[in-house]
Amino acid sequence: MPESLVIVQVYVHVKPDTVEAFRAATLDNARHSVREPGVARFDVVQSVEDPTRFVLLEVYRSPEAQAAHKETAHYQRWRDAVAELMAEPRTSARYVNVFPDHQGW
Amino acid sequence: MPESLVIVQVYVHVKPDTVEAFRAATLDNARHSVREPGVARFDVVQSVEDPTRFVLLEVYRSPEAQAAHKETAHYQRWRDAVAELMAEPRTSARYVNVFPDHQGW
């Protein structure tokens, strides 16, 4: 078992008229990503207060799994599709899991 | 099925010397919270870049479930225990789930 899961939150702010296009591209990415063996979760949530803001909650079982994700066709398709949909560059933050333990994701 | 899950991210910044006390109090809260019937997930993660920063990822099956959580002894115990551990007031943001659907949490 790796020392910690690799948890990444990606914060995305899209242009108001691209919300639906972003949702569609991101659903495609998420549905494929959860089938990767090293991906424990790949959740996508949308802000209630500002529907142009999304968070991707990505949980990888190892650093290698995170690197492998970046090499997939679905990630690269998403990255290219959303580039022009964003109102500003996306940001991200890395976390370790406190609860639950590794098996709970 | 409710129209959407109620997803709340709580952002916490604790004083440097209270990291372990915050972890302990929050583990107690999380372990009890996931046993509530209306709680789908209650994840706790800690920043890699700044270990004094935590995020609680709370997923409720309904607004009623969120309200019920606030009435529990374990929530109130946590709220009181962590009040003096924080470096600044905690903030939160509300989200709806884009992916997965309601059954996937």
Side-chain angles (χ1 to χ4, degrees), chain A residues 9 30 41-48 57 94-96 98-100 104-105, chain B residues 9 30 41-48 57 94-96 98-100 104-105:
Chain A
Q9 289 207 347
R41 293 195 67 85
F42 203 99
D43 302 332
V44 182
V45 299
Q46 182 175 17
S47 169
V48 170
L57 317 169
R94 285 194 52 179
Y95 297 89
V96 294
V98 175
F99 182 87
W105 298 77
Chain B
Q9 290 209 346
R41 293 195 67 84
F42 203 98
D43 302 331
V44 182
V45 300
Q46 181 175 19
S47 169
V48 171
L57 317 170
R94 286 194 52 180
Y95 296 90
V96 294
V98 176
F99 182 87
W105 298 77

PDB file of all heavy atoms in Angstrom, chain A residues 9 30 41-48 57 94-96 98-100 104-105, chain B residues 9 30 41-48 57 94-96 98-100 104-105:
ATOM      1  N   GLN A   9      -7.451  18.411  -5.679  1.00  0.00           N
ATOM      2  CA  GLN A   9      -8.652  19.176  -5.991  1.00  0.00           C
ATOM      3  C   GLN A   9      -8.277  20.166  -7.090  1.00  0.00           C
ATOM      4  O   GLN A   9      -7.318  20.924  -6.949  1.00  0.00           O
ATOM      5  CB  GLN A   9      -9.165  19.933  -4.764  1.00  0.00           C
ATOM      6  CG  GLN A   9      -9.768  19.015  -3.709  1.00  0.00           C
ATOM      7  CD  GLN A   9     -10.828  19.704  -2.859  1.00  0.00           C
ATOM      8  OE1 GLN A   9     -10.968  20.928  -2.882  1.00  0.00           O
ATOM      9  NE2 GLN A   9     -11.578  18.923  -2.118  1.00  0.00           N
ATOM     10  N   ALA A  30     -14.575  12.121 -16.666  1.00  0.00           N
ATOM     11  CA  ALA A  30     -14.791  11.432 -15.387  1.00  0.00           C
ATOM     12  C   ALA A  30     -15.222   9.982 -15.603  1.00  0.00           C
ATOM     13  O   ALA A  30     -14.739   9.078 -14.919  1.00  0.00           O
ATOM     14  CB  ALA A  30     -15.844  12.189 -14.575  1.00  0.00           C
ATOM     15  N   ARG A  41     -11.297   7.664  -6.880  1.00  0.00           N
ATOM     16  CA  ARG A  41     -12.493   8.487  -7.096  1.00  0.00           C
ATOM     17  C   ARG A  41     -12.155   9.571  -8.104  1.00  0.00           C
ATOM     18  O   ARG A  41     -11.001  10.000  -8.217  1.00  0.00           O
ATOM     19  CB  ARG A  41     -12.987   9.147  -5.799  1.00  0.00           C
ATOM     20  CG  ARG A  41     -13.518   8.174  -4.763  1.00  0.00           C
ATOM     21  CD  ARG A  41     -14.307   8.881  -3.670  1.00  0.00           C
ATOM     22  NE  ARG A  41     -15.536   9.465  -4.166  1.00  0.00           N
ATOM     23  CZ  ARG A  41     -16.687   8.799  -4.294  1.00  0.00           C
ATOM     24  NH1 ARG A  41     -16.773   7.536  -3.980  1.00  0.00           N
ATOM     25  NH2 ARG A  41     -17.763   9.429  -4.763  1.00  0.00           N
ATOM     26  N   PHE A  42     -13.183  10.018  -8.819  1.00  0.00           N
ATOM     27  CA  PHE A  42     -13.012  11.128  -9.751  1.00  0.00           C
ATOM     28  C   PHE A  42     -14.347  11.876  -9.761  1.00  0.00           C
ATOM     29  O   PHE A  42     -15.168  11.717 -10.645  1.00  0.00           O
ATOM     30  CB  PHE A  42     -12.638  10.614 -11.145  1.00  0.00           C
ATOM     31  CG  PHE A  42     -11.927  11.640 -11.995  1.00  0.00           C
ATOM     32  CD1 PHE A  42     -10.547  11.625 -12.112  1.00  0.00           C
ATOM     33  CD2 PHE A  42     -12.634  12.630 -12.667  1.00  0.00           C
ATOM     34  CE1 PHE A  42      -9.874  12.561 -12.895  1.00  0.00           C
ATOM     35  CE2 PHE A  42     -11.975  13.569 -13.455  1.00  0.00           C
ATOM     36  CZ  PHE A  42     -10.589  13.537 -13.573  1.00  0.00           C
ATOM     37  N   ASP A  43     -14.579  12.623  -8.700  1.00  0.00           N
ATOM     38  CA  ASP A  43     -15.856  13.309  -8.502  1.00  0.00           C
ATOM     39  C   ASP A  43     -15.811  14.698  -9.143  1.00  0.00           C
ATOM     40  O   ASP A  43     -14.764  15.344  -9.158  1.00  0.00           O
ATOM     41  CB  ASP A  43     -16.140  13.482  -7.012  1.00  0.00           C
ATOM     42  CG  ASP A  43     -16.181  12.163  -6.252  1.00  0.00           C
ATOM     43  OD1 ASP A  43     -16.513  11.130  -6.863  1.00  0.00           O
ATOM     44  OD2 ASP A  43     -15.871  12.183  -5.044  1.00  0.00           O
ATOM     45  N   VAL A  44     -16.946  15.122  -9.618  1.00  0.00           N
ATOM     46  CA  VAL A  44     -17.070  16.466 -10.191  1.00  0.00           C
ATOM     47  C   VAL A  44     -18.260  17.144  -9.520  1.00  0.00           C
ATOM     48  O   VAL A  44     -19.365  16.580  -9.501  1.00  0.00           O
ATOM     49  CB  VAL A  44     -17.289  16.412 -11.710  1.00  0.00           C
ATOM     50  CG1 VAL A  44     -17.366  17.832 -12.283  1.00  0.00           C
ATOM     51  CG2 VAL A  44     -16.194  15.600 -12.391  1.00  0.00           C
ATOM     52  N   VAL A  45     -18.027  18.314  -8.949  1.00  0.00           N
ATOM     53  CA  VAL A  45     -19.111  19.050  -8.292  1.00  0.00           C
ATOM     54  C   VAL A  45     -19.156  20.478  -8.828  1.00  0.00           C
ATOM     55  O   VAL A  45     -18.161  21.009  -9.329  1.00  0.00           O
ATOM     56  CB  VAL A  45     -18.951  19.052  -6.753  1.00  0.00           C
ATOM     57  CG1 VAL A  45     -18.979  17.615  -6.220  1.00  0.00           C
ATOM     58  CG2 VAL A  45     -17.689  19.771  -6.298  1.00  0.00           C
ATOM     59  N   GLN A  46     -20.359  21.068  -8.730  1.00  0.00           N
ATOM     60  CA  GLN A  46     -20.600  22.408  -9.283  1.00  0.00           C
ATOM     61  C   GLN A  46     -21.110  23.305  -8.161  1.00  0.00           C
ATOM     62  O   GLN A  46     -21.989  22.905  -7.386  1.00  0.00           O
ATOM     63  CB  GLN A  46     -21.643  22.297 -10.396  1.00  0.00           C
ATOM     64  CG  GLN A  46     -21.958  23.602 -11.108  1.00  0.00           C
ATOM     65  CD  GLN A  46     -22.916  23.385 -12.283  1.00  0.00           C
ATOM     66  OE1 GLN A  46     -23.571  22.338 -12.367  1.00  0.00           O
ATOM     67  NE2 GLN A  46     -22.994  24.353 -13.175  1.00  0.00           N
ATOM     68  N   SER A  47     -20.593  24.505  -8.090  1.00  0.00           N
ATOM     69  CA  SER A  47     -20.966  25.431  -7.016  1.00  0.00           C
ATOM     70  C   SER A  47     -22.434  25.814  -7.096  1.00  0.00           C
ATOM     71  O   SER A  47     -22.967  26.113  -8.170  1.00  0.00           O
ATOM     72  CB  SER A  47     -20.106  26.685  -7.111  1.00  0.00           C
ATOM     73  OG  SER A  47     -20.605  27.695  -6.250  1.00  0.00           O
ATOM     74  N   VAL A  48     -23.091  25.850  -5.932  1.00  0.00           N
ATOM     75  CA  VAL A  48     -24.479  26.319  -5.861  1.00  0.00           C
ATOM     76  C   VAL A  48     -24.521  27.832  -6.024  1.00  0.00           C
ATOM     77  O   VAL A  48     -25.373  28.376  -6.720  1.00  0.00           O
ATOM     78  CB  VAL A  48     -25.100  25.903  -4.510  1.00  0.00           C
ATOM     79  CG1 VAL A  48     -26.454  26.570  -4.297  1.00  0.00           C
ATOM     80  CG2 VAL A  48     -25.217  24.382  -4.424  1.00  0.00           C
ATOM     81  N   LEU A  57     -12.550  16.389  -7.874  1.00  0.00           N
ATOM     82  CA  LEU A  57     -11.962  15.759  -6.688  1.00  0.00           C
ATOM     83  C   LEU A  57     -11.352  14.444  -7.136  1.00  0.00           C
ATOM     84  O   LEU A  57     -12.044  13.447  -7.283  1.00  0.00           O
ATOM     85  CB  LEU A  57     -13.043  15.511  -5.641  1.00  0.00           C
ATOM     86  CG  LEU A  57     -14.046  16.650  -5.413  1.00  0.00           C
ATOM     87  CD1 LEU A  57     -15.217  16.184  -4.552  1.00  0.00           C
ATOM     88  CD2 LEU A  57     -13.357  17.820  -4.730  1.00  0.00           C
ATOM     89  N   ARG A  94      -3.016  19.908  -3.497  1.00  0.00           N
ATOM     90  CA  ARG A  94      -2.786  18.490  -3.188  1.00  0.00           C
ATOM     91  C   ARG A  94      -3.052  18.203  -1.719  1.00  0.00           C
ATOM     92  O   ARG A  94      -2.680  18.994  -0.846  1.00  0.00           O
ATOM     93  CB  ARG A  94      -1.334  18.108  -3.521  1.00  0.00           C
ATOM     94  CG  ARG A  94      -1.106  17.975  -5.004  1.00  0.00           C
ATOM     95  CD  ARG A  94       0.209  17.287  -5.264  1.00  0.00           C
ATOM     96  NE  ARG A  94       0.299  16.040  -4.520  1.00  0.00           N
ATOM     97  CZ  ARG A  94       1.332  15.213  -4.559  1.00  0.00           C
ATOM     98  NH1 ARG A  94       2.382  15.525  -5.302  1.00  0.00           N
ATOM     99  NH2 ARG A  94       1.352  14.101  -3.860  1.00  0.00           N
ATOM    100  N   TYR A  95      -3.642  17.054  -1.465  1.00  0.00           N
ATOM    101  CA  TYR A  95      -4.003  16.664  -0.102  1.00  0.00           C
ATOM    102  C   TYR A  95      -3.623  15.220   0.157  1.00  0.00           C
ATOM    103  O   TYR A  95      -3.448  14.421  -0.771  1.00  0.00           O
ATOM    104  CB  TYR A  95      -5.522  16.821   0.110  1.00  0.00           C
ATOM    105  CG  TYR A  95      -5.992  18.241  -0.027  1.00  0.00           C
ATOM    106  CD1 TYR A  95      -6.382  18.756  -1.267  1.00  0.00           C
ATOM    107  CD2 TYR A  95      -6.027  19.087   1.079  1.00  0.00           C
ATOM    108  CE1 TYR A  95      -6.789  20.075  -1.401  1.00  0.00           C
ATOM    109  CE2 TYR A  95      -6.435  20.410   0.950  1.00  0.00           C
ATOM    110  CZ  TYR A  95      -6.819  20.888  -0.294  1.00  0.00           C
ATOM    111  OH  TYR A  95      -7.212  22.190  -0.423  1.00  0.00           O
ATOM    112  N   VAL A  96      -3.527  14.889   1.449  1.00  0.00           N
ATOM    113  CA  VAL A  96      -3.459  13.493   1.888  1.00  0.00           C
ATOM    114  C   VAL A  96      -4.748  13.190   2.638  1.00  0.00           C
ATOM    115  O   VAL A  96      -5.413  14.086   3.161  1.00  0.00           O
ATOM    116  CB  VAL A  96      -2.227  13.222   2.778  1.00  0.00           C
ATOM    117  CG1 VAL A  96      -0.938  13.398   1.972  1.00  0.00           C
ATOM    118  CG2 VAL A  96      -2.223  14.113   4.009  1.00  0.00           C
ATOM    119  N   VAL A  98      -6.982  12.027   5.619  1.00  0.00           N
ATOM    120  CA  VAL A  98      -7.025  11.844   7.076  1.00  0.00           C
ATOM    121  C   VAL A  98      -8.106  10.814   7.405  1.00  0.00           C
ATOM    122  O   VAL A  98      -7.897   9.921   8.213  1.00  0.00           O
ATOM    123  CB  VAL A  98      -7.323  13.185   7.772  1.00  0.00           C
ATOM    124  CG1 VAL A  98      -7.488  13.001   9.276  1.00  0.00           C
ATOM    125  CG2 VAL A  98      -6.229  14.204   7.458  1.00  0.00           C
ATOM    126  N   PHE A  99      -9.265  10.954   6.765  1.00  0.00           N
ATOM    127  CA  PHE A  99     -10.369  10.020   6.933  1.00  0.00           C
ATOM    128  C   PHE A  99     -11.164   9.976   5.636  1.00  0.00           C
ATOM    129  O   PHE A  99     -11.418  11.030   5.065  1.00  0.00           O
ATOM    130  CB  PHE A  99     -11.291  10.454   8.084  1.00  0.00           C
ATOM    131  CG  PHE A  99     -12.420   9.495   8.315  1.00  0.00           C
ATOM    132  CD1 PHE A  99     -12.250   8.395   9.143  1.00  0.00           C
ATOM    133  CD2 PHE A  99     -13.647   9.670   7.680  1.00  0.00           C
ATOM    134  CE1 PHE A  99     -13.289   7.500   9.349  1.00  0.00           C
ATOM    135  CE2 PHE A  99     -14.687   8.767   7.880  1.00  0.00           C
ATOM    136  CZ  PHE A  99     -14.509   7.683   8.709  1.00  0.00           C
ATOM    137  N   PRO A 100     -11.599   8.816   5.168  1.00  0.00           N
ATOM    138  CA  PRO A 100     -11.291   7.511   5.746  1.00  0.00           C
ATOM    139  C   PRO A 100      -9.884   7.043   5.369  1.00  0.00           C
ATOM    140  O   PRO A 100      -9.148   7.746   4.686  1.00  0.00           O
ATOM    141  CB  PRO A 100     -12.355   6.608   5.116  1.00  0.00           C
ATOM    142  CG  PRO A 100     -12.658   7.247   3.800  1.00  0.00           C
ATOM    143  CD  PRO A 100     -12.505   8.716   4.016  1.00  0.00           C
ATOM    144  N   GLY A 104     -11.195   3.259   2.086  1.00  0.00           N
ATOM    145  CA  GLY A 104     -12.513   3.889   2.093  1.00  0.00           C
ATOM    146  C   GLY A 104     -12.794   4.826   0.942  1.00  0.00           C
ATOM    147  O   GLY A 104     -13.784   5.551   0.962  1.00  0.00           O
ATOM    148  N   TRP A 105     -11.938   4.783  -0.079  1.00  0.00           N
ATOM    149  CA  TRP A 105     -12.116   5.702  -1.199  1.00  0.00           C
ATOM    150  C   TRP A 105     -12.418   4.923  -2.469  1.00  0.00           C
ATOM    151  O   TRP A 105     -12.226   3.750  -2.529  1.00  0.00           O
ATOM    152  CB  TRP A 105     -10.848   6.538  -1.417  1.00  0.00           C
ATOM    153  CG  TRP A 105     -10.526   7.388  -0.241  1.00  0.00           C
ATOM    154  CD1 TRP A 105      -9.953   6.985   0.925  1.00  0.00           C
ATOM    155  CD2 TRP A 105     -10.770   8.807  -0.089  1.00  0.00           C
ATOM    156  NE1 TRP A 105      -9.814   8.047   1.784  1.00  0.00           N
ATOM    157  CE2 TRP A 105     -10.316   9.171   1.193  1.00  0.00           C
ATOM    158  CE3 TRP A 105     -11.327   9.779  -0.930  1.00  0.00           C
ATOM    159  CZ2 TRP A 105     -10.396  10.483   1.656  1.00  0.00           C
ATOM    160  CZ3 TRP A 105     -11.401  11.069  -0.458  1.00  0.00           C
ATOM    161  CH2 TRP A 105     -10.948  11.416   0.808  1.00  0.00           C
TER     162      TRP A 105
ATOM    163  N   GLN B   9     -18.164  21.698   1.195  1.00  0.00           N
ATOM    164  CA  GLN B   9     -16.738  21.662   1.521  1.00  0.00           C
ATOM    165  C   GLN B   9     -16.489  22.693   2.614  1.00  0.00           C
ATOM    166  O   GLN B   9     -16.861  23.861   2.470  1.00  0.00           O
ATOM    167  CB  GLN B   9     -15.875  21.993   0.296  1.00  0.00           C
ATOM    168  CG  GLN B   9     -15.908  20.895  -0.762  1.00  0.00           C
ATOM    169  CD  GLN B   9     -14.618  20.844  -1.585  1.00  0.00           C
ATOM    170  OE1 GLN B   9     -13.808  21.760  -1.554  1.00  0.00           O
ATOM    171  NE2 GLN B   9     -14.427  19.766  -2.310  1.00  0.00           N
ATOM    172  N   ALA B  30     -15.778  12.512  12.207  1.00  0.00           N
ATOM    173  CA  ALA B  30     -15.984  11.822  10.925  1.00  0.00           C
ATOM    174  C   ALA B  30     -16.444  10.377  11.134  1.00  0.00           C
ATOM    175  O   ALA B  30     -17.350   9.895  10.451  1.00  0.00           O
ATOM    176  CB  ALA B  30     -14.692  11.867  10.106  1.00  0.00           C
ATOM    177  N   ARG B  41     -20.995  10.647   2.420  1.00  0.00           N
ATOM    178  CA  ARG B  41     -19.545  10.654   2.640  1.00  0.00           C
ATOM    179  C   ARG B  41     -19.208  11.749   3.643  1.00  0.00           C
ATOM    180  O   ARG B  41     -19.920  12.754   3.758  1.00  0.00           O
ATOM    181  CB  ARG B  41     -18.764  10.933   1.329  1.00  0.00           C
ATOM    182  CG  ARG B  41     -18.884   9.829   0.294  1.00  0.00           C
ATOM    183  CD  ARG B  41     -17.824   9.974  -0.798  1.00  0.00           C
ATOM    184  NE  ARG B  41     -16.480   9.765  -0.312  1.00  0.00           N
ATOM    185  CZ  ARG B  41     -15.899   8.565  -0.166  1.00  0.00           C
ATOM    186  NH1 ARG B  41     -16.537   7.473  -0.501  1.00  0.00           N
ATOM    187  NH2 ARG B  41     -14.665   8.475   0.288  1.00  0.00           N
ATOM    188  N   PHE B  42     -18.099  11.543   4.340  1.00  0.00           N
ATOM    189  CA  PHE B  42     -17.623  12.554   5.275  1.00  0.00           C
ATOM    190  C   PHE B  42     -16.099  12.418   5.288  1.00  0.00           C
ATOM    191  O   PHE B  42     -15.508  11.843   6.192  1.00  0.00           O
ATOM    192  CB  PHE B  42     -18.220  12.336   6.678  1.00  0.00           C
ATOM    193  CG  PHE B  42     -18.237  13.584   7.527  1.00  0.00           C
ATOM    194  CD1 PHE B  42     -19.397  14.354   7.636  1.00  0.00           C
ATOM    195  CD2 PHE B  42     -17.099  14.006   8.197  1.00  0.00           C
ATOM    196  CE1 PHE B  42     -19.423  15.502   8.414  1.00  0.00           C
ATOM    197  CE2 PHE B  42     -17.111  15.158   8.971  1.00  0.00           C
ATOM    198  CZ  PHE B  42     -18.279  15.899   9.085  1.00  0.00           C
ATOM    199  N   ASP B  43     -15.486  12.923   4.232  1.00  0.00           N
ATOM    200  CA  ASP B  43     -14.052  12.771   4.036  1.00  0.00           C
ATOM    201  C   ASP B  43     -13.302  13.944   4.670  1.00  0.00           C
ATOM    202  O   ASP B  43     -13.796  15.076   4.684  1.00  0.00           O
ATOM    203  CB  ASP B  43     -13.711  12.753   2.544  1.00  0.00           C
ATOM    204  CG  ASP B  43     -14.421  11.645   1.784  1.00  0.00           C
ATOM    205  OD1 ASP B  43     -14.731  10.589   2.387  1.00  0.00           O
ATOM    206  OD2 ASP B  43     -14.667  11.834   0.578  1.00  0.00           O
ATOM    207  N   VAL B  44     -12.121  13.660   5.152  1.00  0.00           N
ATOM    208  CA  VAL B  44     -11.267  14.706   5.720  1.00  0.00           C
ATOM    209  C   VAL B  44      -9.908  14.593   5.051  1.00  0.00           C
ATOM    210  O   VAL B  44      -9.302  13.508   5.040  1.00  0.00           O
ATOM    211  CB  VAL B  44     -11.114  14.539   7.245  1.00  0.00           C
ATOM    212  CG1 VAL B  44     -10.261  15.668   7.817  1.00  0.00           C
ATOM    213  CG2 VAL B  44     -12.474  14.478   7.926  1.00  0.00           C
ATOM    214  N   VAL B  45      -9.427  15.699   4.484  1.00  0.00           N
ATOM    215  CA  VAL B  45      -8.125  15.704   3.821  1.00  0.00           C
ATOM    216  C   VAL B  45      -7.287  16.861   4.349  1.00  0.00           C
ATOM    217  O   VAL B  45      -7.819  17.862   4.830  1.00  0.00           O
ATOM    218  CB  VAL B  45      -8.260  15.777   2.281  1.00  0.00           C
ATOM    219  CG1 VAL B  45      -9.047  14.579   1.750  1.00  0.00           C
ATOM    220  CG2 VAL B  45      -8.886  17.079   1.812  1.00  0.00           C
ATOM    221  N   GLN B  46      -5.972  16.684   4.246  1.00  0.00           N
ATOM    222  CA  GLN B  46      -5.017  17.658   4.797  1.00  0.00           C
ATOM    223  C   GLN B  46      -4.084  18.111   3.685  1.00  0.00           C
ATOM    224  O   GLN B  46      -3.578  17.285   2.909  1.00  0.00           O
ATOM    225  CB  GLN B  46      -4.228  16.986   5.921  1.00  0.00           C
ATOM    226  CG  GLN B  46      -3.220  17.880   6.614  1.00  0.00           C
ATOM    227  CD  GLN B  46      -2.560  17.167   7.800  1.00  0.00           C
ATOM    228  OE1 GLN B  46      -2.583  15.939   7.891  1.00  0.00           O
ATOM    229  NE2 GLN B  46      -1.959  17.935   8.702  1.00  0.00           N
ATOM    230  N   SER B  47      -3.847  19.400   3.610  1.00  0.00           N
ATOM    231  CA  SER B  47      -3.021  19.952   2.533  1.00  0.00           C
ATOM    232  C   SER B  47      -1.585  19.448   2.605  1.00  0.00           C
ATOM    233  O   SER B  47      -0.981  19.393   3.686  1.00  0.00           O
ATOM    234  CB  SER B  47      -3.029  21.483   2.628  1.00  0.00           C
ATOM    235  OG  SER B  47      -2.056  22.030   1.762  1.00  0.00           O
ATOM    236  N   VAL B  48      -1.036  19.111   1.449  1.00  0.00           N
ATOM    237  CA  VAL B  48       0.375  18.727   1.370  1.00  0.00           C
ATOM    238  C   VAL B  48       1.260  19.962   1.528  1.00  0.00           C
ATOM    239  O   VAL B  48       2.273  19.932   2.226  1.00  0.00           O
ATOM    240  CB  VAL B  48       0.657  18.032   0.024  1.00  0.00           C
ATOM    241  CG1 VAL B  48       2.152  17.824  -0.183  1.00  0.00           C
ATOM    242  CG2 VAL B  48      -0.089  16.701  -0.049  1.00  0.00           C
ATOM    243  N   LEU B  57     -15.075  17.167   3.394  1.00  0.00           N
ATOM    244  CA  LEU B  57     -15.921  16.976   2.216  1.00  0.00           C
ATOM    245  C   LEU B  57     -17.154  16.227   2.676  1.00  0.00           C
ATOM    246  O   LEU B  57     -17.132  15.007   2.829  1.00  0.00           O
ATOM    247  CB  LEU B  57     -15.168  16.161   1.171  1.00  0.00           C
ATOM    248  CG  LEU B  57     -13.699  16.532   0.929  1.00  0.00           C
ATOM    249  CD1 LEU B  57     -13.015  15.493   0.055  1.00  0.00           C
ATOM    250  CD2 LEU B  57     -13.606  17.891   0.272  1.00  0.00           C
ATOM    251  N   ARG B  94     -20.998  25.401  -0.983  1.00  0.00           N
ATOM    252  CA  ARG B  94     -21.984  24.360  -1.291  1.00  0.00           C
ATOM    253  C   ARG B  94     -21.918  23.983  -2.765  1.00  0.00           C
ATOM    254  O   ARG B  94     -21.762  24.840  -3.643  1.00  0.00           O
ATOM    255  CB  ARG B  94     -23.389  24.847  -0.971  1.00  0.00           C
ATOM    256  CG  ARG B  94     -23.653  24.882   0.525  1.00  0.00           C
ATOM    257  CD  ARG B  94     -25.126  25.044   0.779  1.00  0.00           C
ATOM    258  NE  ARG B  94     -25.896  24.038   0.037  1.00  0.00           N
ATOM    259  CZ  ARG B  94     -27.213  23.939   0.069  1.00  0.00           C
ATOM    260  NH1 ARG B  94     -27.923  24.770   0.802  1.00  0.00           N
ATOM    261  NH2 ARG B  94     -27.837  22.996  -0.626  1.00  0.00           N
ATOM    262  N   TYR B  95     -22.072  22.687  -3.012  1.00  0.00           N
ATOM    263  CA  TYR B  95     -21.984  22.167  -4.370  1.00  0.00           C
ATOM    264  C   TYR B  95     -23.106  21.175  -4.642  1.00  0.00           C
ATOM    265  O   TYR B  95     -23.684  20.602  -3.714  1.00  0.00           O
ATOM    266  CB  TYR B  95     -20.633  21.447  -4.574  1.00  0.00           C
ATOM    267  CG  TYR B  95     -19.451  22.371  -4.453  1.00  0.00           C
ATOM    268  CD1 TYR B  95     -18.839  22.585  -3.229  1.00  0.00           C
ATOM    269  CD2 TYR B  95     -18.973  23.058  -5.561  1.00  0.00           C
ATOM    270  CE1 TYR B  95     -17.765  23.455  -3.097  1.00  0.00           C
ATOM    271  CE2 TYR B  95     -17.896  23.920  -5.442  1.00  0.00           C
ATOM    272  CZ  TYR B  95     -17.305  24.112  -4.209  1.00  0.00           C
ATOM    273  OH  TYR B  95     -16.252  24.977  -4.100  1.00  0.00           O
ATOM    274  N   VAL B  96     -23.381  20.961  -5.922  1.00  0.00           N
ATOM    275  CA  VAL B  96     -24.217  19.840  -6.361  1.00  0.00           C
ATOM    276  C   VAL B  96     -23.313  18.870  -7.110  1.00  0.00           C
ATOM    277  O   VAL B  96     -22.261  19.247  -7.642  1.00  0.00           O
ATOM    278  CB  VAL B  96     -25.383  20.313  -7.258  1.00  0.00           C
ATOM    279  CG1 VAL B  96     -26.360  21.163  -6.452  1.00  0.00           C
ATOM    280  CG2 VAL B  96     -24.875  21.068  -8.476  1.00  0.00           C
ATOM    281  N   VAL B  98     -22.127  16.650 -10.084  1.00  0.00           N
ATOM    282  CA  VAL B  98     -22.184  16.471 -11.545  1.00  0.00           C
ATOM    283  C   VAL B  98     -21.880  15.012 -11.875  1.00  0.00           C
ATOM    284  O   VAL B  98     -22.547  14.385 -12.682  1.00  0.00           O
ATOM    285  CB  VAL B  98     -21.187  17.407 -12.245  1.00  0.00           C
ATOM    286  CG1 VAL B  98     -21.152  17.159 -13.756  1.00  0.00           C
ATOM    287  CG2 VAL B  98     -21.513  18.876 -11.944  1.00  0.00           C
ATOM    288  N   PHE B  99     -20.829  14.484 -11.222  1.00  0.00           N
ATOM    289  CA  PHE B  99     -20.444  13.083 -11.380  1.00  0.00           C
ATOM    290  C   PHE B  99     -19.825  12.591 -10.098  1.00  0.00           C
ATOM    291  O   PHE B  99     -19.020  13.317  -9.510  1.00  0.00           O
ATOM    292  CB  PHE B  99     -19.435  12.926 -12.542  1.00  0.00           C
ATOM    293  CG  PHE B  99     -19.036  11.510 -12.782  1.00  0.00           C
ATOM    294  CD1 PHE B  99     -19.791  10.695 -13.627  1.00  0.00           C
ATOM    295  CD2 PHE B  99     -17.927  10.955 -12.137  1.00  0.00           C
ATOM    296  CE1 PHE B  99     -19.440   9.379 -13.828  1.00  0.00           C
ATOM    297  CE2 PHE B  99     -17.579   9.632 -12.344  1.00  0.00           C
ATOM    298  CZ  PHE B  99     -18.341   8.837 -13.199  1.00  0.00           C
ATOM    299  N   PRO B 100     -20.105  11.399  -9.619  1.00  0.00           N
ATOM    300  CA  PRO B 100     -21.097  10.490 -10.196  1.00  0.00           C
ATOM    301  C   PRO B 100     -22.520  10.881  -9.829  1.00  0.00           C
ATOM    302  O   PRO B 100     -22.720  11.878  -9.142  1.00  0.00           O
ATOM    303  CB  PRO B 100     -20.707   9.140  -9.571  1.00  0.00           C
ATOM    304  CG  PRO B 100     -20.087   9.491  -8.262  1.00  0.00           C
ATOM    305  CD  PRO B 100     -19.402  10.818  -8.473  1.00  0.00           C
ATOM    306  N   GLY B 104     -23.538   7.034  -6.530  1.00  0.00           N
ATOM    307  CA  GLY B 104     -22.094   6.812  -6.541  1.00  0.00           C
ATOM    308  C   GLY B 104     -21.341   7.426  -5.378  1.00  0.00           C
ATOM    309  O   GLY B 104     -20.113   7.473  -5.408  1.00  0.00           O
ATOM    310  N   TRP B 105     -22.072   7.882  -4.352  1.00  0.00           N
ATOM    311  CA  TRP B 105     -21.406   8.548  -3.237  1.00  0.00           C
ATOM    312  C   TRP B 105     -21.606   7.738  -1.959  1.00  0.00           C
ATOM    313  O   TRP B 105     -22.434   6.892  -1.884  1.00  0.00           O
ATOM    314  CB  TRP B 105     -21.978   9.952  -3.030  1.00  0.00           C
ATOM    315  CG  TRP B 105     -21.773  10.837  -4.210  1.00  0.00           C
ATOM    316  CD1 TRP B 105     -22.487  10.814  -5.370  1.00  0.00           C
ATOM    317  CD2 TRP B 105     -20.778  11.861  -4.371  1.00  0.00           C
ATOM    318  NE1 TRP B 105     -22.012  11.771  -6.234  1.00  0.00           N
ATOM    319  CE2 TRP B 105     -20.968  12.418  -5.651  1.00  0.00           C
ATOM    320  CE3 TRP B 105     -19.750  12.351  -3.547  1.00  0.00           C
ATOM    321  CZ2 TRP B 105     -20.171  13.454  -6.135  1.00  0.00           C
ATOM    322  CZ3 TRP B 105     -18.967  13.380  -4.035  1.00  0.00           C
ATOM    323  CH2 TRP B 105     -19.180  13.919  -5.309  1.00  0.00           C
TER     324      TRP B 105
END
